[in-house]
Amino acid sequence: MKLLHIYAGNLFGGIETLLVTLAKERSLCVQMQPHFALCFEGRLANELRSLNVNVHLLGNVRVSRPWTVWKARLQLEQLLRQEQFDVVICHSCWPQVVFGSVVRANRLPLVFWCHDLPNSKHPLEEWAKQVPPDLVIANSRYTQAGIPKLYPKIDSETLYLPVACANIGNNTSIRHVVRAELNTPDDAIVIVQASRLERWKGQSMLLSALAQLRHIPGWIYWLAGGVQRSHEALYLQELEVQVQQLGITEQVRFLGQRADVPRLFAAADIHCQPNTGAEPFGIAFVEALYAGLPIVTTAIGGVVEIVDDSCGRLVAPNDIDALSKILGSLISNPSERVTLAAGGKLRAEHFCNPLNQLTRLYNILSKVVENKAVA
C-alpha cells in the first residue's frame, strides 16, 4: 500500500512527532510505503529526510494568498498522477481544506486524521466540512466524540498514536550527563515538562503550584519548549516574569526548544503537565511513561484514557492547591514515585506499541481502499 501523508510542516509538536514515528518505524509494517507531502521546509522535513523517506514539497501556502493555494494544488495534482498512491491522509483541518478537493477529484481514498477536538467554531472547520473524507481517524475516544460536529455522516475509528520507547542507552550515565549540562545536582528531584508554549499546557499553573513548595528543598523544574509563533514569545516573557515574582528563579530552568526530550525524561524524576484545556491525546505523556516517570496532570481530555492511578496522579483543572499538594508528596516520597513508575512502561506499551498500532492502521486503511474500489 502506497500512502501519502499531507501536512503543513512549519511547526513542530505532536503531529510532527507522529509523522516522524511513522517514518522511523515503517519497517514494522512493510505493507505500507509512506510518502510525505509538506508545504514548508523546517525541522519536520529535515528529520524525515534523515530517515530516507520520500518528502515532497508542495510550496509555501498562505490561505490569505489564493495564488499560493492554486500553485500547491497543481503540485499535488502532478504528484498524485506521478506516484499512483493507494490512499491519502490529511492531518488536521488545514491540509484537508487546502488539498482534500484535489484528492477527491482524482478519485483516491481520502482519510482525515483528526488530532484536535472539533468544535464547529473555527473557520477552517467550516471549510473542512465542504470536503468530506471517506473515513476519519481520531487520536483518542475524546477526539472521536467530537467528530459528528465536523462530519456527522462519516465513519470514524479511534487509533491511539504509535509511540516508541526511546533507545538511548544507560539511563544512569545519561542522568548524570544531562544534569551536569543543565546545572542540576544529581540528588535534586527534577520535575520536567516538555511541550509547546501554549497557555493551556499549564506552565503558569505549575509555576504557581511549585511556588507553594519553596520550603521543600532540593527540587528543580525543567521547562522545555521554544518559541515557534509570536504569541508564544509573549507567553514565555510572562512566564519568566512570573518566576521572578514568585521567587523561584534558582529552581527553574528554561530549556528552550529541545530535540532530545527522551534524554530529559531519562534524567528527570516526575513528569508534570497540568493542562488547563483538554489535551486531545498527548504523546509526551506516553514518552514519559516509557521513561519510568510518574505522571501528574489534570483530569481532562484524552490523557485520562492513558493515565490512571496505576501510573500517575490526576487533579482538577486550575486547582493549584491540589496540584501543589500532590507534587509535594511525590517530591518527599521516593517510594511513591517508584510505585507509580513501575506500571508506566507496560501501560504505554498496551496503548501505543508501534507494531500493534501500525498494523491496526494498515488494517483500517485497507478497508478504506477496498470500500473505495467497490464504490
Side-chain angles (χ1 to χ4, degrees):
M1 179 190 297
K2 193 173 182 180
L3 63 148
L4 180 66
H5 298 274
I6 304 181
Y7 193 55
N10 55 327
L11 302 175
F12 203 94
I15 300 175
E16 292 80 3
T17 300
L18 165 66
L19 296 177
V20 170
T21 299
L22 293 174
K24 187 179 295 185
E25 305 295 336
R26 63 190 184 279
S27 63
L28 297 176
C29 187
V30 295
Q31 299 94 324
M32 290 191 295
Q33 302 171 28
H35 287 233
F36 300 86
L38 308 175
C39 292
F40 300 94
E41 287 283 6
R43 177 180 168 185
L44 176 59
N46 291 335
E47 290 201 16
L48 289 173
R49 289 193 189 100
S50 73
L51 296 168
N52 296 314
V53 294
N54 291 289
V55 178
H56 310 277
L57 287 177
L58 302 177
N60 294 4
V61 174
R62 304 291 182 195
V63 175
S64 60
R65 300 172 184 174
W67 63 92
T68 65
V69 176
W70 177 73
K71 288 182 179 179
R73 285 174 173 170
L74 286 179
Q75 284 289 106
L76 178 60
E77 177 82 32
Q78 182 179 353
L79 177 63
L80 296 180
R81 292 178 178 177
Q82 174 185 323
E83 295 290 346
Q84 299 295 303
F85 294 105
D86 295 299
V87 61
V88 178
I89 304 175
C90 287
H91 291 265
S92 79
C93 284
W94 189 87
Q96 182 77 4
V97 167
V98 175
F99 299 111
S101 60
V102 179
V103 179
R104 294 192 66 85
N106 282 267
R107 299 184 178 180
L108 287 170
L110 174 63
V111 174
F112 173 68
W113 200 320
C114 188
H115 297 276
D116 292 301
L117 182 72
N119 57 30
S120 299
K121 295 180 181 179
H122 198 286
L124 275 177
E125 291 187 11
E126 291 301 314
W127 296 340
K129 289 178 181 179
Q130 310 306 313
V131 192
D134 295 292
L135 179 78
V136 178
I137 295 176
N139 60 3
S140 65
R141 294 195 303 273
Y142 170 78
T143 301
Q144 187 182 30
I147 298 300
K149 295 181 180 178
L150 192 60
Y151 297 119
K153 298 181 180 180
I154 304 298
D155 290 337
S156 63
E157 295 274 0
T158 292
L159 178 70
Y160 292 121
L161 304 186
V163 182
C165 181
N167 183 15
I168 56 175
N170 186 287
N171 276 20
T172 302
S173 174
I174 291 171
R175 182 181 176 93
H176 176 75
V177 170
V178 172
R179 286 174 174 238
E181 292 173 359
L182 301 178
N183 189 29
T184 301
D186 282 340
D187 60 350
I189 304 303
V190 172
I191 302 104
V192 64
Q193 178 174 354
S195 65
R196 288 183 291 114
L197 285 171
E198 298 282 357
R199 294 179 188 276
W200 64 271
K201 297 285 188 178
Q203 295 94 337
S204 179
M205 176 180 169
L206 178 50
L207 289 173
S208 295
L210 288 172
Q212 297 184 14
L213 304 176
R214 282 185 296 253
H215 63 284
I216 299 178
W219 60 262
I220 298 289
Y221 171 38
W222 291 346
L223 195 166
V227 172
Q228 300 186 72
R229 290 175 287 189
S230 57
H231 70 272
E232 295 173 358
L234 176 61
Y235 182 44
L236 177 59
Q237 292 175 3
E238 293 176 9
L239 292 174
E240 292 171 339
V241 170
Q242 183 181 4
V243 166
Q244 294 175 351
Q245 292 176 339
L246 292 173
I248 54 174
T249 304
E250 296 300 317
Q251 292 151 295
V252 176
R253 309 283 187 270
F254 289 96
L255 308 186
Q257 190 74 9
R258 305 286 297 207
D260 63 342
V261 170
R263 292 177 73 245
L264 299 181
F265 285 174
D269 299 286
I270 301 166
H271 177 274
C272 184
Q273 183 179 312
N275 295 333
T276 58
E279 184 83 59
F281 178 71
I283 290 176
F285 294 95
V286 182
E287 292 175 331
L289 290 175
Y290 273 127
L293 296 180
I295 306 295
V296 181
T297 187
T298 40
I300 51 175
V303 174
V304 299
E305 298 170 36
I306 305 295
V307 179
D308 65 6
D309 289 341
S310 71
C311 58
R313 294 286 182 261
L314 301 172
V315 299
N318 298 302
D319 192 337
I320 294 173
D321 292 341
L323 178 62
S324 181
K325 183 178 179 180
I326 285 175
L327 288 172
S329 176
L330 287 173
I331 290 169
S332 303
N333 295 286
S335 61
E336 185 179 2
R337 298 198 302 271
V338 170
T339 299
L340 292 176
K345 186 172 182 179
L346 287 177
R347 194 157 179 86
E349 281 279 348
H350 174 73
F351 287 104
C352 299
N353 174 275
L355 174 59
N356 295 342
Q357 299 312 93
L358 288 177
T359 301
R360 185 154 185 270
L361 174 61
Y362 173 72
N363 292 335
I364 290 171
L365 296 179
S366 295
K367 290 180 181 178
V368 176
V369 172
E370 291 170 8
N371 293 339
K372 191 73 171 182
V374 171

